[in-house]
Amino acid sequence: GGDGGVTATDERSSTGVADDDLEAVGDAGDSIGDADTGDPATDRRDDGGGTTSIRPAGPALPGLLDLSDEPIPNDDTVRTGELSNGLRYYVRRNDNPGGKADLRLAVRAGSVDEFGPSTGTAHFVEHMLFNGTERFPENELIDVLRSFGASFGPDINAYTSFDETVYSLVVPNDDPTVELGLDVLAEWLSAATFDPAQVVAERGVVLDEWRVRTQTTTGRLFQIAGEMYLGGSPYEGRLPIGTDDSITTMEDAELRAYYDAWYRPDNVALIVVGDIDVTATEADIERLFGDEPTPDEALRPRPDTRFDLPVAPDFRLHRDPDQQTVDVEVTLPLPAFTSDGLAAQRAELLDVVVFDILVQRLQRDLAEGVAPFDDVTQGSNSFVSGLDAPALYAFTDADRVRDTLVALLDEYQRAFVHGFTPAEVEISAAKVRALFETRFEGRTSTQDRVYGDALVEH
């Protein structure tokens, strides 16, 4: 904070991490992990020999009484398939808002999958794909994208996280335009050019983004969090934005090597949601992507990104000249469940209920005037696959930092020793039930983007 801040971890066990909607039940705040790092958990790894092994479902957590992991049935309104080259696709008709189609190309590779000397390579590759492809050179690609009547940001976007890179286009739903949008995604998958002169020119653009993302209070806190939670893991030193030194010396050869390693049909998923003809779209996917060959060499082995249980508490203090308040955060970092089954969902729901109760207790202290902080909320530092790091996040001032830290630790300890009352659990669980009931009642008005995000996560 302005005069001092604390970020701490506690070694006691908690359960899984909530998604954005579920965090809202617990009045989740913006923790330093809430960056643009969307991250689907994966339960499969290629061993480098072309075979796939299944990861353990997750840790056996105290208090998670039912560890059964029955699969959650797939949505039968989603047309799924796999081409002979390994590309998987998910197509869903949705007429809300209608007249549009949401296209995604999800690449299962992010900054943790970089293998060259530079950092930020995955993100730089993402930038370069907007600089043109073999069929659509730079200016032609921009013209094609703008011909959709779309604008960069709302309709044309991409992001790179630690674990994935995702491209999205929102286009009119007429067949020729959807086909053209799919053609652009096909070019991004297999026909990037990486012109050396354009790579040099793009360094300045990426460096400007690096300044915006890192040279701020939030950016500095995120780097500290990365050092704290990711040290000793394959993620260490692999922040998606990279470093200024790597950005200013990035070369086309390293970008090409990363692209060739990960941008291949058997490492991507294609998602189409919108007011479309599902059968016609499936035929377009087969025609535009089916002839792309799978490379002869086996997919490069991904790093083992599983997390171990922490064995000791840890903490960081950070004084930042641009922050006026003092934030005190206590996180419970754990390995996350990485399956798609009920155990992961159960852990997620338990996490929401547990932290909602903790926040409600602390807010009662605040209402009674006995709390040493001005506000408290639920946070999260679960910003990479495999890390489950829910948190309590309090706002105070420099004179009350110690008392605030003690108050958060005391509340964890009280729950650890005494648990929760049936009334507390029922009140919090009722909020979760209400959320799902509202979602179910509004299921006919679910936006394309929501379905697209869920399928990317899957």
Side-chain angles (χ1 to χ4, degrees):
D3 294 308
V6 178
T7 294
T9 66
D10 187 281
E11 75 274 25
R12 287 188 285 276
S13 295
S14 178
T15 52
V17 168
D19 63 23
D20 291 341
D21 287 331
L22 289 175
E23 282 182 353
V25 172
D27 188 28
D30 289 331
S31 189
I32 51 181
D34 296 340
D36 182 18
T37 55
D39 182 356
T42 174
D43 61 346
R44 296 180 180 272
R45 294 185 67 237
D46 192 296
D47 64 5
T51 61
T52 302
S53 59
I54 305 300
R55 289 183 175 183
L61 299 179
L64 194 62
L65 301 181
D66 183 359
L67 286 173
S68 58
D69 195 29
E70 296 88 353
I72 299 171
N74 287 330
D75 183 353
D76 59 11
T77 62
V78 179
R79 182 81 60 85
T80 64
E82 183 171 324
L83 303 183
S84 59
N85 56 19
L87 182 143
R88 288 168 293 160
Y89 62 83
Y90 303 81
V91 183
R92 190 191 201 284
R93 186 178 183 278
N94 183 50
D95 60 2
N96 185 45
K100 295 284 187 178
D102 190 319
L103 317 179
R104 311 284 182 97
L105 180 69
V107 184
R108 182 169 281 181
S111 60
V112 74
D113 301 292
E114 296 165 353
F115 48 84
S118 301
T119 62
T121 308
H123 177 246
F124 209 116
V125 167
E126 173 214 310
H127 270 249
M128 288 305 301
L129 293 198
F130 287 92
N131 279 272
T133 65
E134 292 175 5
R135 183 177 170 192
F136 303 118
E138 180 182 9
N139 292 333
E140 290 185 29
L141 177 59
I142 299 301
D143 290 342
V144 167
L145 294 175
R146 288 177 173 162
S147 72
F148 299 150
S151 58
F152 283 90
D155 306 311
I156 305 167
N157 214 330
Y159 69 81
T160 301
S161 74
F162 287 94
D163 295 288
E164 66 179 354
T165 307
V166 180
Y167 302 84
S168 63
L169 297 176
V170 177
V171 303
N173 68 338
D174 60 276
D175 290 341
T177 306
V178 172
E179 181 180 345
L180 183 57
L182 290 172
D183 203 3
V184 171
L185 296 186
E187 286 281 297
W188 281 341
L189 172 61
S190 60
T193 51
F194 300 110
D195 178 80
Q198 291 185 359
V199 171
V200 172
E202 196 67 21
R203 291 173 183 169
V205 176
V206 180
L207 189 62
D208 284 342
E209 185 176 343
W210 174 86
R211 293 189 183 100
V212 171
R213 286 182 176 271
T214 65
Q215 304 306 296
T216 62
T217 298
T218 301
R220 288 185 285 269
L221 285 173
F222 189 79
Q223 292 184 74
I224 291 170
E227 296 167 0
M228 185 176 189
Y229 294 104
L230 307 181
S233 77
Y235 294 104
E236 183 176 9
R238 291 291 181 184
L239 291 178
I241 193 63
T243 66
D244 53 344
D245 287 341
S246 285
I247 292 168
T248 54
T249 58
M250 190 67 69
E251 297 289 344
D252 59 288
E254 190 171 357
L255 298 172
R256 169 61 67 180
Y258 180 92
Y259 178 84
D260 289 344
W262 299 117
Y263 283 68
R264 41 188 283 168
D266 55 352
N267 196 48
V268 304
L270 188 67
I271 295 158
V272 183
V273 180
D275 192 6
I276 55 171
D277 183 321
V278 171
T279 300
T281 300
E282 190 175 30
D284 286 340
I285 291 171
E286 176 69 50
R287 181 169 48 80
L288 293 170
F289 292 86
D291 292 337
E292 175 62 25
T294 301
D296 294 332
E297 63 273 14
L299 184 65
R300 184 184 182 91
R302 297 198 72 204
D304 186 345
T305 56
R306 289 172 293 185
F307 277 80
D308 296 324
L309 284 168
V311 296
D314 194 7
F315 74 94
R316 295 292 186 277
L317 303 173
H318 174 64
R319 182 191 298 269
D320 198 288
D322 296 329
Q323 184 167 326
Q324 301 304 311
T325 62
V326 178
D327 303 343
V328 180
E329 179 173 9
V330 184
T331 302
L332 302 180
L334 295 168
F337 280 84
T338 55
S339 79
D340 291 327
L342 291 177
Q345 187 179 67
R346 189 180 301 114
E348 182 176 297
L349 295 173
L350 284 170
D351 173 64
V352 172
V353 172
V354 166
F355 275 80
D356 182 61
I357 294 172
L358 294 176
V359 168
Q360 294 308 312
R361 288 178 174 182
L362 290 162
Q363 287 183 341
R364 281 197 297 271
D365 292 343
L366 189 61
E368 294 169 3
V370 296
F373 45 81
D374 299 315
D375 198 8
V376 63
T377 187
Q378 179 180 341
S380 174
N381 287 297
S382 308
F383 46 79
V384 296
S385 174
L387 175 63
D388 172 7
L392 288 174
Y393 201 91
F395 306 89
T396 187
D397 55 46
D399 294 335
R400 298 179 293 167
V401 167
R402 182 185 183 282
D403 290 342
T404 297
L405 178 59
V406 169
L408 299 186
L409 292 172
D410 280 353
E411 204 56 64
Y412 279 126
Q413 181 70 4
R414 185 175 296 113
F416 182 71
V417 173
H418 301 292
F420 308 99
T421 69
E424 285 179 316
V425 174
E426 177 54 35
I427 290 171
S428 182
K431 296 180 185 179
V432 179
R433 284 194 294 270
L435 169 70
F436 282 105
E437 288 165 0
T438 299
R439 181 184 292 177
F440 181 74
E441 291 168 359
R443 64 194 181 280
T444 59
S445 61
T446 301
Q447 300 281 310
D448 296 343
R449 174 186 55 80
V450 176
Y451 284 125
D453 289 345
L455 290 169
V456 166
E457 183 178 357
H458 172 74

